[in-house]
Amino acid sequence: MTPARPTSLITGASAGIGAAFARDLAKRGHDLILTARRADRLEALATELRDAHGGKVTILPCDLANPDASEKLCADIEALGLHVDWLVNNAGYGVPGTFEANAWQTHADFIQVLMTAPAELAWRLLPGMRERRYGRIINVASLAGHVPGSAGHTLYAASKAYLIKFSQSLALENQMLGVHVCALCPGFTWSEFHDVTGTRELMNKLPGFMWQTAEVVVSEGVEAVERGEIVHVTGSVNRFIKALMKLLPDRLTLWLSARESRRYRQLEAAP
């Protein structure tokens, strides 16, 4: 049974797609638990949402790169007497440069945030969803998880492919228990993602029709998980690209990936 006011935990909620999820779900009548590293941004967003929608907004800043962050976050939620009906695993970023150009700790932190934390949060929160016979888990993956990997940003596509497969298995295990799981796969989305990675100038060379707003991505994602869709690629252009990549031979798709990597990927590590 759907709660009167579901409670949604959103990771990486301070900007971009995460903040758009917060605004969308608050508008739909959800109470929110927001987490990210930047407490000041979370405070500002929480104030905005309380003023606009009057719901309960709890902020719990944390850095999911810390191996104990997910356990502590769930303990803090329980200590406040809250439970999570919707989990939006959105926290993520990119690491410019080739694999060997970055320190191992940089890669380890990336794996922790984009792969380990989403799995651990789902593992810790799923039992309550199953018991209540209601839950929604959205793992924000990417079109990158459906196409060949690129030179540079080495682990990004791999992490997104992992989230897609993880979501599929989790959905099949829980679909009879009122818990819907969806891998949301946007393409290029207007946010500060590329500013943080230092690739904005390269990304600005892409044609405008390749881009979507965070608000459109989120709206598609919420509607997809509600109707039980397990993998959702946003936008007709991105769905065409995914379909095309499946039809073309691997050798050709890898050649295309290599060409586009030279045009749009930063192959040096961030300073």
Side-chain angles (χ1 to χ4, degrees):
M1 182 179 296
T2 305
R5 288 192 67 85
T7 298
S8 296
L9 169 61
I10 304 169
T11 70
S14 60
I17 291 175
F21 262 112
R23 293 185 176 100
D24 186 283
L25 293 175
K27 189 183 300 183
R28 294 173 191 261
H30 289 221
D31 291 330
L32 303 176
I33 305 169
L34 308 180
T35 188
R37 292 177 301 164
R38 296 175 289 191
D40 57 336
R41 289 203 177 189
L42 292 178
E43 289 280 9
L45 179 59
T47 299
E48 171 199 326
L49 297 177
R50 292 186 194 111
D51 291 345
H53 305 291
K56 183 175 183 180
V57 183
T58 303
I59 67 166
L60 295 172
C62 76
D63 184 354
L64 291 174
N66 295 328
D68 62 348
S70 296
E71 181 178 10
K72 183 178 184 303
L73 178 60
C74 292
D76 289 344
I77 291 170
E78 185 176 355
L80 291 169
L82 302 173
H83 66 258
V84 174
D85 300 300
W86 283 56
L87 168 61
V88 180
N89 279 316
N90 165 75
Y93 58 96
V95 176
T98 57
F99 191 58
E100 81 289 348
N102 287 283
W104 173 247
Q105 191 58 53
T106 299
H107 294 311
D109 290 347
F110 179 90
I111 291 169
Q112 179 67 37
V113 173
L114 276 87
M115 299 174 70
T116 304
E120 183 175 354
L121 287 172
W123 181 81
R124 292 186 179 281
L125 297 172
L126 187 58
M129 295 180 182
R130 289 167 61 100
E131 183 179 350
R132 293 185 297 274
R133 296 279 171 153
Y134 176 84
R136 303 288 184 264
I137 298 175
I138 298 177
N139 293 315
V140 179
S142 172
L143 176 64
H146 293 285
V147 301
S150 63
H153 296 253
T154 318
L155 294 177
Y156 188 78
S159 72
K160 297 305 186 178
Y162 161 86
L163 284 177
I164 293 167
K165 297 300 183 184
F166 171 57
S167 299
Q168 290 172 330
S169 294
L170 205 59
L172 295 177
E173 291 172 4
N174 293 281
Q175 60 185 353
M176 303 303 292
L177 297 169
V179 179
H180 298 180
V181 183
C182 179
L184 177 62
C185 302
F188 294 108
T189 306
W190 292 112
S191 71
E192 64 177 33
F193 179 92
H194 299 291
D195 300 305
V196 172
T197 61
T199 55
R200 173 59 60 197
E201 185 176 350
L202 290 172
M203 292 299 102
N204 284 343
K205 297 177 182 178
L206 287 166
F209 68 82
M210 296 287 293
W211 295 86
Q212 288 184 296
T213 66
E215 291 75 18
V216 168
V217 167
V218 166
S219 179
E220 285 196 37
V222 171
E223 292 167 8
V225 75
E226 283 285 53
R227 63 177 174 261
E229 193 171 345
I230 296 174
V231 178
H232 181 76
V233 178
T234 67
S236 56
V237 171
N238 296 321
R239 289 191 285 273
F240 172 77
I241 292 171
K242 177 197 170 187
L244 181 63
M245 290 297 105
K246 291 181 71 173
L247 292 174
L248 295 176
D250 289 348
R251 182 176 295 182
L252 177 56
T253 60
L254 285 169
W255 177 83
L256 289 169
S257 179
R259 187 188 70 173
E260 296 307 295
S261 296
R262 289 192 294 270
R263 296 174 63 187
Y264 299 117
R265 289 297 191 200
Q266 181 176 319
L267 298 183
E268 298 82 22

